[in-house]
Amino acid sequence: MEVDQEVDQRELDQPTRTPRKAREPPMPEARSRQAVGESWEDFMRRRELKNAERLARETPLDRERRVNREREASKGAAPGKKGGDVFRWLKAGKYMLRKRVPKKQVDDIWERYRYQQRRFDSFRNEWDLCRQFAPNAPRDKDDYEPGVQEDAKCSSDSEDEDFEQEKDDDTPYVEDVVPPDAREIPEHATRTSVDVVEGNAVPDFEEDVRRKLENVTQSVASELLANESLVQVMQHRYGFSWNNVPYTLAHQIPLHNDEYETQWRENWTLNKRGMGHADSEVNATDEEMRQMDCLILALYSCQGNEAVIPAQIWDLNDDNHNPLRANTNPNFTIELHQHEEYDWDPDHTKLAKSSFAVYVFMPATQGDKPVTEQRNWFLALTDATTALECLRRRDVTDTESMCEMLVKKGARFNTVTANTPWNEKELLVEKATTTDDNADGLGWRPKGYKPDGLDYLVYENKIRDFLMDSSRARAALMKGGIVWRLAMEFIREDGLKSVLEGPSDRVSQSIFSTCRGKTASDNAPERFAWWDDSLTNKEMDLICGTYKIYTGYGEQHATISWWPKANVWETSGLNLGYWTPTAEKWFLRRLTRLRNGTEQATERAKATKPWKKSVKYDGRTKDLVQCNRSLAERFIETWFDH
């Protein structure tokens, strides 16, 4: 009751709004190919003209594939998870919007439309569902639903009522509902009223959330994180290997010898900051710290020229006293694969192919006896720096221990299982054609909405429930970066164990499609499909606490989040390929303020641009990471030449 009184008062305090122009059409969904304000009739006519052009230049092989798709579509069954995309035409005011139906909802939505209300495009292998295709279509024999009168009809006069019923039916799936227009949710809408719109309101909502989370103020995951010294980091990630013979870079960098000797401590302090260890105590002699400082300065200044880095302090040089090439972890061997994937160009007119290296760790052999491990999955990495760290860690003897080490460091990795070698390119375009870019995160909010402390507690409660699913939990823990750290905060130790159990039985698509070798080749004798649990963009946005806020101009919206989104973190100065003490200090400070409600209003949920500025940190960090990674990639490539 108190909440209702507060809403009434806020309504009185709100200024009168100027309504949006009535004729302004809403923005179509990305990748729907619908033009602004385009009706379904105009869309279909335009598509028919495009298809006529395609038909004129169709090859015999393309025609055979298209006819097969038409034959399959004529059966009237809903496309499966690997079938074509399904689009649904929904009303938005006086306009119609073409919205993609998420794969998990296709079976349910499909049955709500008659046979005549479904249209198949065999050229693009996609379906369109729209009641206005056949407003008076008779009910199919198999479409009878208990409690529905046989003479019920879908007429154009009842379209609005029917659409409202569809919205009520679909509210659990936010991505399937045309987001309400900004003018339909008043600016003074409160958390409770918005949650009612989304179907999430519960009695005594605020009291229930506060009672569940009132004792959660401090991080409970810090003790689970890796606790490595800076010396160990220098050895494992940067290849520091010194034989106690003093060395100086004075003749290779623009500093005089005496100047270097007087300034090395200042340089070392700056370099520690760039490595994410600004406040770390270093248990080493002054001379050893000087040599580590030499290596970091050389990495900064080498610009990819490995000859600049002295052999006396770097194990990737074969002249080092303890070269990595002769001292790798004997328990593993690496298979170098090239992953190929297709992604849409900016105009969404064609797929462009790209590739990157995947490092698959296999159990090694000792003499004639193989090292057998009871599993059907392998460790896979896409970061060459982390791959070399695994090769340097001679103390790690098996795959489970290696995965446990990586998950505690916050490094990105996967536990992959290999499918039967696949030779069809459909596997390569699978992810590109099924990616869900309509990430709603924590949902939509009206113009001017500013999440507060209670919103944050609700977000934490939701993430805990979300990560109770073991397949999601293990995918988040292997993601690295900010997604990993948030997952560590909300997952208990049994969640960590799920990572070591390998891919779950809920894996539905491959994450890598590779050919073995240094370069990707269309003529490769065989391709491999590697499968593992993964997160969608929507799920990562949810973990990072993302809202979509209307701007007041149709469906235009801004995105704000409690934590930097995964793609923002990837390019930040706090991301060094693993979770550093500096990143942990930043995370704990912000977490404590958010939980205590002491974070300033402007620093609560922030948009992408402010987040990029917030986590920029040391601008030199990205240069250090990139140089170290490129040298690692080159070393692994040359390794396979020997």
Side-chain angles (χ1 to χ4, degrees), residues 327-340:
N327 293 277
T328 58
N329 190 327
N331 302 296
F332 299 95
T333 60
I334 288 185
E335 278 193 5
L336 177 59
H337 288 248
Q338 291 294 325
H339 166 75
E340 296 175 297

Side-chain angles (χ1 to χ4, degrees), residues 259-517:
E259 186 180 1
Y260 176 73
E261 289 300 326
T262 57
Q263 293 187 3
W264 78 267
R265 290 187 185 275
E266 181 179 344
N267 292 335
W268 179 234
T269 300
L270 293 175
N271 286 334
K272 283 172 57 183
R273 173 182 168 87
M275 290 187 290
H277 287 259
D279 301 323
S280 299
E281 294 292 334
V282 184
N283 186 18
T285 64
D286 285 355
E287 189 57 48
E288 188 173 10
M289 286 189 286
R290 272 195 287 266
Q291 302 309 312
M292 289 189 285
D293 184 54
C294 283
L295 177 58
I296 298 301
L297 285 173
L299 289 173
Y300 272 127
S301 60
C302 73
Q303 297 182 347
N305 181 11
E306 57 191 44
V308 174
I309 307 175
Q312 293 91 329
I313 55 177
W314 193 46
D315 68 358
L316 295 192
N317 192 312
D318 290 342
D319 293 330
N320 184 267
H321 71 285
N322 191 28
L324 177 60
R325 198 182 304 275
N327 293 277
T328 58
N329 190 327
N331 302 296
F332 299 95
T333 60
I334 288 185
E335 278 193 5
L336 177 59
H337 288 248
Q338 291 294 325
H339 166 75
E340 296 175 297
E341 66 181 4
Y342 284 79
D343 200 1
W344 293 108
D345 65 358
D347 296 328
H348 198 69
T349 57
K350 62 181 179 180
L351 289 169
K353 184 170 72 172
S354 61
S355 64
F356 57 82
V358 178
Y359 310 100
V360 182
F361 278 68
M362 302 286 187
T365 59
Q366 295 177 351
D368 297 330
K369 182 180 179 181
V371 178
T372 57
E373 296 185 16
Q374 300 300 317
R375 75 177 60 79
N376 60 352
W377 54 269
F378 306 99
L379 169 65
L381 300 164
T382 56
D383 180 17
T385 303
T386 305
L388 289 192
E389 178 175 5
C390 292
L391 288 179
R392 292 183 177 114
R393 295 293 298 261
R394 296 173 61 87
D395 57 317
V396 182
T397 59
D398 56 70
T399 304
E400 281 88 352
S401 300
M402 190 70 78
C403 290
E404 185 176 0
M405 180 270 292
L406 292 172
V407 80
K408 289 185 176 181
K409 285 176 64 71
R412 184 173 182 174
F413 68 99
N414 284 99
T415 56
V416 296
T417 183
N419 192 24
T420 303
W422 200 291
N423 294 313
E424 295 295 331
K425 277 194 175 181
E426 280 75 5
L427 184 63
L428 302 178
V429 303
E430 176 186 349
K431 290 182 67 178
T433 55
T434 60
T435 299
D436 180 11
D437 286 330
N438 302 313
D440 291 305
L442 293 172
W444 297 77
R445 295 295 185 268
K447 178 183 177 182
Y449 191 85
K450 296 180 180 179
D452 58 19
L454 181 59
D455 283 294
Y456 182 77
L457 296 181
V458 172
Y459 149 69
E460 281 206 0
N461 196 46
K462 188 169 186 177
I463 296 307
R464 284 189 176 87
D465 292 341
F466 175 79
L467 293 174
M468 288 181 67
D469 183 302
S470 61
S471 64
R472 291 168 173 168
R474 69 185 311 276
L477 290 173
M478 294 186 294
K479 190 67 179 176
I482 190 63
V483 173
W484 163 84
R485 184 59 184 87
L486 290 167
M488 287 290 286
E489 193 63 31
F490 303 128
I491 295 175
R492 300 283 65 83
E493 291 192 22
D494 56 345
L496 299 179
K497 294 178 182 178
S498 67
V499 174
L500 308 182
E501 295 172 355
S504 71
D505 56 5
R506 296 181 58 184
V507 175
S508 60
Q509 71 174 27
S510 63
I511 59 170
F512 302 126
S513 172
T514 69
C515 57
R516 187 185 289 113

Side-chain angles (χ1 to χ4, degrees), residues 227-236 277 280-283:
N227 185 22
E228 288 185 306
S229 69
L230 182 54
V231 175
Q232 291 174 313
V233 171
M234 287 293 302
Q235 294 169 344
H236 297 151
H277 287 259
S280 299
E281 294 292 334
V282 184
N283 186 18

Side-chain angles (χ1 to χ4, degrees), residues 40-57:
W40 68 266
E41 296 96 336
D42 291 339
F43 177 88
M44 293 296 170
R45 281 192 289 269
R46 181 164 59 85
R47 189 169 70 179
E48 288 176 3
L49 294 176
K50 286 285 187 181
N51 288 346
E53 296 176 1
R54 292 187 174 194
L55 182 63
R57 59 177 184 269

Side-chain angles (χ1 to χ4, degrees), residues 563-592:
W563 299 94
K565 295 173 68 174
N567 61 326
V568 174
W569 183 266
E570 285 291 325
T571 59
S572 75
L574 289 172
N575 177 33
L576 283 92
Y578 71 105
W579 196 255
T580 66
T582 298
E584 181 66 6
K585 180 180 179 180
W586 166 84
F587 179 85
L588 292 179
R589 181 172 63 246
R590 177 167 176 78
L591 181 69
T592 302

Side-chain angles (χ1 to χ4, degrees), residues 250-263:
H251 65 286
Q252 294 183 349
I253 60 176
L255 288 173
H256 297 295
N257 193 53
D258 57 346
E259 186 180 1
Y260 176 73
E261 289 300 326
T262 57
Q263 293 187 3

